[in-house]
């Protein structure tokens, strides 16, 4: 694919969905061989793997967190940002984590990352994107209609999602 286009390519390593992980060595070889392979969305959850990618890949190769609960750890290893699920419902806050970190305000970035942890986890209580769509409906952003193969979130998980949104809003001083 990289030989057939000049379009920038981001590798997506998501072993939770593919049942295999792309090794740091393979990422490094691809990045060195193809100038248009310019980044990775790293969702292995393995911080050691991310550190190896950062060490092995050429300058200018970007690493993006693919796990919303690991934005700060990835940034601390030289990450460029996040390709995010939670940003679908909390775009400003997700951006703010990165902005605060890059501006040296690591304590504030850490607090926000930790404040968002429950809602991040709630967005994965069922197969993505079902909880995200449910959250957007709860927030009044979409009408909630789904097309197959998606099905509505279960009632119990909907309640859990509502509670996590409410708790996050309270932690941010927003009335729910």
């Amino acid at each position: 694919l990289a030989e057939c286009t000049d379009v920038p390519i981001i590798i997506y390593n998501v072993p939770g969905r593919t049942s295999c992980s792309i090794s740091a060595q393979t990422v490094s070889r691809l990045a060195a061989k193809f100038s248009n392979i310019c980044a990775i969305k790293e969702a292995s959850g393995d911080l050691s793997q991310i550190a190896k990618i950062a060490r092995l890949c050429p300058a200018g190769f970007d690493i993006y967190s693919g796990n919303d609960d690991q934005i700060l750890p990835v940034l601390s290893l030289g990450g460029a940002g996040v390709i995010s699920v939670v940003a679908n419902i909390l775009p400003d806050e997700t951006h703010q984590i990165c902005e605060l970190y890059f501006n040296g305000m690591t304590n504030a970035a850490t607090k926000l990352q930790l404040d968002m942890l429950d809602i991040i986890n709630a967005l994965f209580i069922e197969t993505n994107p079902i909880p995200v769509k449910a959250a957007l409906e709860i927030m009044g952003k979409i009408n909630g209609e789904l097309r197959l193969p998606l099905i509505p979130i279960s009632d119990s998980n909907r309640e859990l999602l509502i509670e996590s949104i409410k708790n996050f809003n309270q932690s941010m001083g927003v009335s729910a």
Side-chain angles (χ1 to χ4, degrees):
L1 182 63
E3 292 173 338
C4 297
T5 184
D6 293 331
V7 173
I9 296 173
I10 298 176
I11 297 169
Y12 185 9
N13 188 31
V14 58
R17 289 190 183 237
T18 62
S19 298
C20 65
S21 185
I22 304 168
S23 74
Q25 292 79 9
T26 297
V27 173
S28 174
R29 283 194 311 272
L30 289 169
K33 184 173 181 178
F34 301 103
S35 62
N36 58 331
I37 296 181
C38 58
I40 186 167
K41 175 183 176 181
E42 178 52 61
S44 68
D46 183 347
L47 294 177
S48 179
Q49 157 115 347
I50 295 165
K52 288 174 190 169
I53 291 169
R55 182 173 50 85
L56 293 173
C57 286
F61 185 83
D62 289 329
I63 301 169
Y64 293 94
S65 176
N67 294 335
D68 291 323
D69 62 347
Q70 293 183 335
I71 298 170
L72 282 179
V74 172
L75 294 179
S76 75
L77 291 168
V82 59
I83 298 175
S84 174
V85 172
V86 74
N88 287 283
I89 66 166
L90 298 173
D92 294 338
E93 294 83 355
T94 306
H95 170 78
Q96 195 173 18
I97 289 174
C98 297
E99 181 94 5
L100 289 166
Y101 179 83
F102 290 134
N103 287 319
M105 302 172 70
T106 55
N107 288 340
T110 300
K111 180 182 182 328
L112 185 53
Q113 171 85 77
L114 295 175
D115 285 346
M116 290 172 64
L117 191 58
D118 286 340
I119 201 163
I120 288 167
N121 290 333
L123 291 177
F124 292 93
I125 53 178
E126 291 187 19
T127 302
N128 184 33
I130 292 169
V132 174
K133 290 184 175 283
L136 289 167
E137 179 193 10
I138 291 163
M139 298 167 71
K141 305 284 185 183
I142 64 172
N143 67 14
E145 290 181 35
L146 300 174
R147 292 179 296 177
L148 291 174
L150 298 181
I151 59 171
I153 195 168
S154 72
D155 291 341
S156 61
N157 283 340
R158 182 179 182 79
E159 290 305 315
L160 196 147
L161 191 56
I162 290 169
E163 189 66 24
S164 71
I165 293 168
K166 178 181 158 191
N167 290 342
F168 175 75
N169 285 338
Q170 287 175 346
S171 77
M172 301 306 292
V174 176
S175 59

